[in-house]
Amino acid sequence: MYVCIMQETIIIFDFGSQYTQLIARRVRELSVFCEIYPYHMMPDNLDHVKGVIFSGSPFSMFEKGSPRFDFDKIVGKYPVLSVCYGAQLIADYFGGQLINAEIREYGRANLTSIDNTNPLMRDIPQNSQVWMSHGDTISFLPDNLKRIASTKDVENAAYASTDNKTFGLQFHPEVYHSEDGQTLLRNFIVDICKCQQTWTAASFVESTIEDLKNLLGSDKVVLGLSGGVDSSVAAMLLHKAIGINLHCIFVDNGLLRKNEFEEVMTSFSSYGLNITGVDAKEDFYKALQGITDPELKRKAIGKTFIEVFDREAHRIKDVKWLAQGTIYPDVIESISVNGPSATIKSHHNVGGLPEKMNLKIVEPLKFLFKDEVRLIGKTLRIDPKHLERHPFPGPGLGIRILGEINPDKVKLIQEADDIYIKALRQHNLYDKVWQAATILLPVKSVGVMGDERTYEYTVCLRAVTSTDGMTADWVHLPYDFLANVSSDIINKVKGINRVVYDISSKPPATIEWE
């Protein structure tokens, strides 16, 4: 990973905090570019770095093997803001003392004794609510560090170096519960680091199109278009840069939503994209025959996609690049603090294609979060119905049909899902839901229709709210709405006689069932 060329940058060093991505999002909201690095990985190029933030951590400094950092390379050379564990590390570096406090702070607290003359605390009101999440505490500050805020239970809740270049916070300004956290971050990033706030959707589009033109020249690029937000925005950026030299391939894997293949082909052809549609339903159904394990299904779908995509791409002569809609959370995950995270589920991207096809990779969205991708799409004037579309998994309905997959089951879930999604739109609920899904369960139950006994499938409706999919809460859809959707599905989809609603949050459940 590299620092964006000629772009003012804030570097965030991650010690494993659950809030690290949230820090990055808050920085981006201030129209300033930032990148996250594991604490043990130093960027190759620091020329355009304007400031550094150190994250919190689930570790205690007193634990054996807890993360450490070579602060000599950063402290004193750049403005530094350290949060929670980071603040404890830097206090220790300066000669301060830490203890395992008898009184631990978790949850809401209020700042007192705020030094508003300090540039970091400018416009932070007395009793400002903050969010604490720490066991260790800084018990003593050396002469080269000064206290700039306290709470009722923690004397050194915030500190600054005497030259006002290094700052430490025992609380988390990035979370919503810290009421003035964004003001504090603005003080650091804009006033102290002197960032110009030029990281905007319009500037990204302009600079990225220019960079793509310079990088790709007259080379041909192939991209797997899915109709989802990420691949659609990546396709439009590339189209603006290289026109007909971008070749989009849209594979119908037989696991799409009802009429989705035809709708995507029509919509994106109207944008002028060079797009080829491939009917490969039978390839996927054959590959999935007899498979019930969800991880094996994902792998079968991924392997078949690679085979189909590779076959179709080779029909295009002299292709040199493979474009992917990789976004920043995917990049962060691949270089996490403890290495690649344990496999919860196989990534649905086109893994394996670069090696198989021997192509160079271009990823125009690799520095963007999902909400930023949508802003870029809006700037590119992509139809809102594409940009605001709920996330849809790469394996499609293949992981929303529990158990073995066959065309009959696909037809059932497509019809039920179509009724559900249309109803959400008709009742102005679609945009209030982050993701909605219909799950076909491998369960049949007894029902009665008219005078006849039935023994048919059950579907589960799912609707969640989320920011980025890392956590999610189930949506309290109106009872009348759920009753009407259930009635419509049971009456109109032959083969389904029972509808249930999922009221699980993530964690402990996941958004998708497989």
Side-chain angles (χ1 to χ4, degrees):
M1 203 164 57
Y2 55 91
V3 176
C4 193
I5 297 172
M6 299 301 293
Q7 175 69 53
E8 290 185 340
T9 303
I10 297 291
I11 293 294
I12 301 167
F13 285 106
D14 179 24
F15 291 103
S17 170
Q18 62 179 320
Y19 300 132
T20 301
Q21 285 197 37
L22 192 52
I23 297 174
R25 294 174 67 86
R26 294 289 170 265
V27 175
R28 298 281 183 90
E29 286 171 8
L30 292 166
S31 300
V32 175
F33 180 71
C34 65
E35 284 194 88
I36 297 172
Y37 284 81
Y39 70 92
H40 50 69
M41 181 185 293
M42 186 66 65
D44 295 332
N45 182 354
L46 296 173
D47 290 348
H48 303 289
V49 173
K50 300 288 286 184
V52 174
I53 298 176
F54 291 101
S55 83
S57 176
F59 291 95
S60 162
M61 271 195 64
F62 297 102
E63 288 182 52
K64 184 178 180 180
S66 58
R68 292 294 188 268
F69 190 88
D70 184 2
F71 290 111
D72 289 340
K73 295 180 179 179
I74 298 295
V75 173
K77 297 178 175 65
Y78 304 93
V80 168
L81 178 66
S82 52
V83 176
C84 200
Y85 182 85
Q88 294 162 7
L89 279 183
I90 292 186
D92 179 71
Y93 168 80
F94 272 91
Q97 293 179 1
L98 276 78
I99 58 171
N100 270 129
E102 292 182 9
I103 299 176
R104 300 186 176 193
E105 280 205 326
Y106 293 100
R108 293 172 176 83
N110 296 93
L111 295 181
T112 59
S113 306
I114 298 172
D115 179 3
N116 291 121
T117 65
N118 186 275
L120 186 69
M121 307 306 288
R122 188 175 295 121
D123 298 326
I124 305 298
Q126 293 292 324
N127 294 312
S128 176
Q129 179 182 287
V130 295
W131 184 259
M132 293 284 189
S133 181
H134 65 95
D136 301 341
T137 195
I138 302 165
S139 59
F140 168 77
L141 291 175
D143 291 341
N144 48 5
L145 297 180
K146 55 187 178 182
R147 183 186 315 114
I148 55 175
S150 304
T151 70
K152 181 172 68 73
D153 295 318
V154 175
E155 185 177 23
N156 300 308
Y159 65 76
S161 61
T162 51
D163 63 0
N164 280 333
K165 282 190 174 181
T166 302
F167 303 87
L169 306 172
Q170 287 274 75
F171 56 90
H172 289 270
E174 69 273 19
V175 303
Y176 291 106
H177 302 299
S178 292
E179 293 175 340
D180 300 291
Q182 194 68 346
T183 299
L184 189 151
L185 289 172
R186 187 193 182 284
N187 289 343
F188 176 70
I189 290 163
V190 178
D191 297 339
I192 295 169
C193 296
K194 307 298 182 186
C195 292
Q196 297 300 307
Q197 296 181 279
T198 56
W199 177 254
T200 64
S203 68
F204 176 87
V205 168
E206 182 180 356
S207 63
T208 300
I209 290 173
E210 191 61 32
D211 289 345
L212 289 170
K213 286 178 179 178
N214 294 332
L215 175 68
L216 302 172
S218 59
D219 291 351
K220 290 183 181 179
V221 178
V222 65
L223 177 145
L225 188 67
S226 70
V229 175
D230 301 337
S231 70
S232 300
V233 173
M236 288 300 291
L237 279 169
L238 286 158
H239 175 67
K240 295 282 187 184
I242 62 173
I244 62 171
N245 280 336
L246 172 66
H247 295 260
C248 298
I249 298 174
F250 181 32
V251 177
D252 184 354
N253 59 10
L255 303 169
L256 303 174
R257 283 175 161 162
K258 183 179 179 180
N259 299 326
E260 186 171 14
F261 182 73
E262 295 78 12
E263 289 172 0
V264 169
M265 289 296 296
T266 300
S267 296
F268 284 91
S269 295
S270 70
Y271 291 138
L273 263 65
N274 185 5
I275 181 170
T276 300
V278 182
D279 183 350
K281 290 191 287 290
E282 294 307 319
D283 296 85
F284 285 86
Y285 292 152
K286 183 178 179 181
L288 288 163
Q289 193 169 355
I291 299 177
T292 59
D293 179 86
E295 186 64 13
L296 293 179
K297 284 198 289 187
R298 284 177 175 271
K299 288 180 177 177
I301 292 167
K303 180 175 181 292
T304 306
F305 177 82
I306 290 172
E307 291 170 353
V308 172
F309 189 89
D310 183 49
R311 182 182 69 212
E312 296 301 320
H314 272 93
R315 300 181 194 275
I316 308 165
K317 301 298 182 183
D318 302 320
V319 173
K320 294 185 179 180
W321 296 84
L322 172 68
Q324 296 189 141
T326 309
I327 62 174
Y328 200 38
D330 301 329
V331 176
I332 296 167
E333 179 71 13
S334 70
I335 57 161
S336 63
V337 166
N338 298 309
S341 298
T343 299
I344 297 173
K345 57 189 179 184
S346 294
H347 198 274
H348 66 253
N349 235 349
V350 288
L353 271 174
E355 296 84 357
K356 182 177 179 64
M357 300 178 70
N358 195 28
L359 297 175
K360 293 181 284 186
I361 301 297
V362 56
E363 298 171 311
L365 308 179
K366 68 179 294 184
F367 291 114
L368 301 182
F369 289 101
K370 177 71 80 171
D371 54 336
E372 292 174 319
V373 174
R374 288 194 167 100
L375 283 174
I376 300 305
K378 188 175 181 181
T379 302
L380 290 166
R381 298 186 178 181
I382 296 176
D383 191 323
K385 75 178 181 182
H386 294 301
L387 297 178
E388 302 306 323
R389 180 188 182 213
H390 292 173
F392 189 63
L397 300 177
I399 57 168
R400 293 182 179 177
I401 298 172
L402 276 57
E404 187 176 0
I405 296 167
N406 60 49
D408 292 337
K409 289 182 179 179
V410 171
K411 179 70 172 174
L412 283 180
I413 194 173
Q414 282 179 333
E415 295 297 333
D417 179 78
D418 188 56
I419 291 170
Y420 181 33
I421 298 301
K422 283 181 176 176
L424 287 169
R425 292 189 185 281
Q426 289 165 359
H427 289 80
N428 296 317
L429 293 168
Y430 186 86
D431 292 336
K432 298 177 183 178
V433 171
W434 190 77
Q435 184 170 345
T438 308
I439 316 298
L440 183 66
L441 305 183
V443 173
K444 286 187 175 182
S445 63
V446 174
V448 178
M449 292 187 178
D451 296 324
E452 294 183 7
R453 179 179 179 274
T454 62
Y455 190 62
E456 295 177 337
Y457 283 104
T458 300
V459 293
C460 176
L461 306 182
R462 181 91 161 118
V464 299
T465 56
S466 180
T467 300
D468 49 23
M470 297 180 67
T471 61
D473 291 321
W474 63 279
V475 179
H476 294 237
L477 293 175
Y479 290 153
D480 289 347
F481 171 82
L482 289 171
N484 290 334
V485 171
S486 174
S487 178
D488 279 353
I489 290 173
I490 291 170
N491 287 331
K492 295 176 181 178
V493 185
K494 185 173 176 56
I496 296 172
N497 69 357
R498 194 175 297 268
V499 176
V500 297
Y501 188 58
D502 184 348
I503 58 170
S504 309
S505 295
K506 176 186 179 180
T510 53
I511 296 175
E512 298 289 348
W513 278 46
E514 289 192 342

